[in-house]
Amino acid sequence: MFVELSDDILAKIFGFLDASDVLQCSLVCKSWYRVAFGNQIWYDLCERYFLPKSLKSLLTKLEENAISISKSRCSESANLGSWEFGFVQSSRQTLGYESTDSEGSDSSTAAEPSTILCGTKSCCCHGRKRLAVLITHFINDAEDSYNKYSLFKEFCLYFSRGSNYVSRIVKVLDTLETFCRRANLAAARTLLPGVDDNCIVEHVGNELPADLYCLYRLCSGQYIPSDYSQFQGILGGYLFYDVLVDCNLSSVCSMQVSELGNRRILKIGQDMFWYNNRGSQGLFIDLETKHVIELTQNHYVIASNDIVTYLEKYVNDLSSNSLMVDRNTKQILRFCLCPTYSGYSDVVTGYIRIQATCLFVPGISKFSHFQEQDEFVFAYRIRISMLSSAPSHYMFRLEQRHWIVTDTDGHVENIRGPGVIGEHPIFHPGSVFDYASCAPLRGPVGKMKGSFTFRPLHHEPGSEIAAPFIAQVGELHLNIFERYRFPPDSPERYLQLQKRWERDKSF
């Protein structure tokens, strides 16, 4: 019966199958063989496995990122000189970027890059040119332009492992760069070209999980300028007191496999991290489980099941405007401004609006089998503003703060003090003040709420603001389980809390 189906019907049926199943069907008979190798079927498979049809901008990025990266070097001792790539020249001449992007990028310049780029002189040149050719054929819809089955095989050869991740990674990179360009962030122009197989094998061997392998074939990390006066981490960061976290994708050449207990881990996200000289943290991949992990002082927590899921969650937060962007440094901040997130509050008292958000900081936290030694540090960021609708003569000075912090066991701590972070900011209609601080807990969950006392500096006699008044800060739920998980070898009391959260999604 199936042999008698028309070619059009067979083609529609085959369109729902995976590549291996289509090849199996081609062995049934001559008519199935003819349909199974139709151009449209393999064009659709290319789109499904590798390159979404709507993301043609990748070809432009391949050209821009691979143009004349002069005086770049793979190590401090090996200067490779000028690399010629043969692409059509564009407005961006180097990764030191003079940009005239139409989507709002500034025209500022940066110093010529002098950091590690990739493993060999040919890894960007040959590999990126070949991928650009494949994408060009993919975009060209002409029936006689290229045999689409051959094109599929070429893509499979280029991405020799984990081809099912490629389409998702392309979407992530495209969304990431689009957001950064529209927000006029310098990080938009720091992603490096992908690398070839021999570069990956030379520096990492064959230990990369398939999804991470595909990521580095498309994007080999991030260029970090020698003048690190402003944050450039593509994965965002935050700063409070003497703690600076700024996460960026490390290049293949700087990736190292190390030991964590009986596990082998690979560092994929470098960061700058200072806190009483405790050293650097960053993102890691557990090579056995593929989990994305972050180190604590004496253990680790799981941030995601794999790197692609981690990046997808991150760019989804960016696209939905759930993450903050620092207006001065143009840095992506990991603090979440999302009403559905329990670590966020937004309260208006009179004409004063207070937004508060928090996040768990693994690098300076610790947990063990001895609860009295545990310290779970949560950073929080406060944005205080006076509404523009306030009367023009209103002017307030922040006098005092009051916080009520409750930890996992219900222990309550009251914190009072003058001003915030040693300052007494003054507010008038439309003014905004941001600051960040931290709150340590003796467990992985807790809550905090508080208030600020304001004193009027200028008012009319007999007005309603003649005396100091209190502006409330909405309750923040401090909860690591919304972004992290404990590994199986963690203390049982924390695993029990985790199970409770996974079951009820509340405490």
Side-chain angles (χ1 to χ4, degrees):
M1 179 179 70
F2 289 107
V3 177
E4 298 174 357
L5 293 176
S6 68
D7 288 0
D8 289 341
I9 295 177
L10 278 175
K12 289 183 179 179
I13 294 174
F14 290 170
F16 292 99
L17 303 179
D18 290 331
S20 58
D21 295 328
V22 173
L23 292 175
Q24 288 291 329
C25 290
S26 70
L27 302 177
V28 172
C29 62
K30 291 182 178 179
S31 61
W32 282 34
Y33 180 90
R34 182 183 64 255
V35 174
F37 287 98
N39 268 348
Q40 188 59 47
I41 291 176
W42 291 99
Y43 184 94
D44 293 342
L45 286 169
C46 284
E47 182 179 345
R48 188 195 314 170
Y49 277 83
F50 303 111
L51 300 172
K53 192 173 183 179
S54 61
L55 299 179
K56 297 180 181 180
S57 59
L58 178 62
L59 183 60
T60 303
K61 285 183 284 189
L62 285 171
E63 296 175 351
E64 288 182 345
N65 287 342
I67 292 174
S68 301
I69 306 176
S70 62
K71 297 182 181 179
S72 302
R73 58 193 181 202
C74 285
S75 67
E76 292 297 323
S77 60
N79 190 336
L80 297 181
S82 178
W83 295 358
E84 297 298 335
F85 291 86
F87 288 111
V88 177
Q89 294 295 313
S90 71
S91 61
R92 181 172 306 137
Q93 297 301 316
T94 71
L95 283 177
Y97 8 103
E98 276 186 40
S99 177
T100 57
D101 292 330
S102 60
E103 294 187 5
S105 299
D106 61 21
S107 59
S108 59
T109 59
E112 190 173 275
S114 61
T115 54
I116 295 171
L117 293 182
C118 59
T120 64
K121 181 176 181 178
S122 64
C123 76
C124 288
C125 177
H126 175 71
R128 299 293 275 189
K129 286 173 67 175
R130 181 182 176 198
L131 183 57
V133 170
L134 295 179
I135 296 173
T136 301
H137 286 306
F138 172 75
I139 293 173
N140 189 342
D141 290 333
E143 284 293 320
D144 58 349
S145 64
Y146 202 83
N147 180 278
K148 299 304 188 253
Y149 172 62
S150 299
L151 178 61
F152 185 89
K153 290 197 298 183
E154 279 285 293
F155 275 123
C156 286
L157 183 61
Y158 189 88
F159 300 104
S160 59
R161 292 186 285 127
S163 58
N164 54 307
Y165 292 104
V166 177
S167 179
R168 295 168 62 190
I169 294 172
V170 170
K171 287 183 180 180
V172 164
L173 294 176
D174 184 77
T175 304
L176 188 60
E177 283 203 306
T178 299
F179 174 87
C180 291
R181 289 190 185 211
R182 288 178 177 173
N184 194 21
L185 306 183
R189 300 178 292 275
T190 61
L191 292 181
L192 296 172
V195 291
D196 226 333
D197 282 310
N198 55 357
C199 178
I200 295 176
V201 172
E202 176 184 353
H203 293 280
V204 189
N206 293 312
E207 299 192 73
L208 283 185
D211 53 350
L212 190 58
Y213 164 84
C214 288
L215 173 62
Y216 279 92
R217 288 289 269 148
L218 288 166
C219 171
S220 61
Q222 185 180 359
Y223 156 65
I224 305 301
S226 56
D227 178 12
Y228 211 81
S229 58
Q230 289 189 335
F231 308 157
Q232 303 256 3
I234 201 73
L235 298 181
Y238 46 91
L239 171 68
F240 61 95
Y241 293 134
D242 51 355
V243 177
L244 166 63
V245 178
D246 175 32
C247 199
N248 58 77
L249 289 173
S250 60
S251 65
V252 171
C253 289
S254 61
M255 296 170 70
Q256 294 182 347
V257 178
S258 56
E259 303 288 335
L260 177 64
N262 58 352
R263 298 183 178 277
R264 293 174 59 78
I265 61 174
L266 178 70
K267 188 169 187 177
I268 61 166
Q270 297 174 319
D271 67 15
M272 300 182 67
F273 200 115
W274 295 286
Y275 182 76
N276 295 335
N277 298 318
R278 289 179 180 173
S280 176
Q281 301 297 309
L283 291 178
F284 296 81
I285 294 290
D286 185 324
L287 292 175
E288 179 183 351
T289 64
K290 295 203 307 182
H291 289 162
V292 180
I293 64 175
E294 293 188 50
L295 303 185
T296 66
Q297 286 192 29
N298 55 351
H299 210 62
Y300 68 97
V301 288
I302 300 171
S304 179
N305 287 337
D306 57 79
I307 184 61
V308 180
T309 304
Y310 179 90
L311 292 174
E312 286 176 334
K313 173 64 168 60
Y314 178 70
V315 299
N316 181 66
D317 288 341
L318 286 178
S319 301
S320 61
N321 294 319
S322 295
L323 299 183
M324 302 177 72
V325 174
D326 189 282
R327 293 167 297 173
N328 297 318
T329 63
K330 292 295 184 179
Q331 162 78 348
I332 300 171
L333 301 178
R334 292 197 172 196
F335 295 103
C336 189
L337 289 177
C338 181
T340 60
Y341 176 56
S342 66
Y344 172 75
S345 70
D346 188 349
V347 177
V348 177
T349 306
Y351 290 102
I352 295 294
R353 180 185 184 186
I354 300 178
Q355 296 169 276
T357 181
C358 65
L359 54 79
F360 174 60
V361 186
I364 57 176
S365 299
K366 59 182 178 182
F367 61 96
S368 64
H369 293 278
F370 305 98
Q371 188 169 358
E372 63 276 3
Q373 299 178 3
D374 292 353
E375 187 176 61
F376 292 79
V377 178
F378 290 82
Y380 60 87
R381 186 175 176 93
I382 307 295
R383 173 170 291 175
I384 308 172
S385 59
M386 182 183 288
L387 302 182
S388 299
S389 58
S392 59
H393 63 275
Y394 275 27
M395 185 176 295
F396 302 128
R397 181 175 186 262
L398 196 158
E399 292 288 325
Q400 292 183 334
R401 70 184 185 277
H402 176 211
W403 289 107
I404 303 172
V405 181
T406 307
D407 67 16
T408 304
D409 299 322
H411 174 75
V412 179
E413 183 178 2
N414 279 271
I415 304 170
R416 299 179 185 271
V420 290
I421 59 170
E423 297 185 42
H424 293 270
I426 295 175
F427 296 86
H428 52 78
S431 61
V432 179
F433 180 80
D434 289 307
Y435 81 95
S437 187
C438 66
L441 298 181
R442 293 189 296 182
V445 295
K447 57 186 177 180
M448 62 185 293
K449 61 181 179 179
S451 61
F452 296 105
T453 301
F454 292 86
R455 179 180 299 278
L457 296 182
H458 176 72
H459 59 87
E460 295 177 349
S463 70
E464 73 277 12
I465 61 165
F469 73 97
I470 295 175
Q472 300 295 326
V473 182
E475 187 172 78
L476 294 176
H477 291 267
L478 312 177
N479 180 357
I480 82 165
F481 300 124
E482 288 191 312
R483 299 195 185 194
Y484 298 96
R485 302 196 318 272
F486 286 108
D489 55 346
S490 300
E492 184 61 28
R493 63 182 179 277
Y494 297 143
L495 294 177
Q496 291 298 326
L497 282 173
Q498 180 171 289
K499 290 179 182 178
R500 178 182 168 189
W501 165 257
E502 292 171 349
R503 183 181 68 249
D504 304 330
K505 297 301 179 184
S506 64
F507 286 102

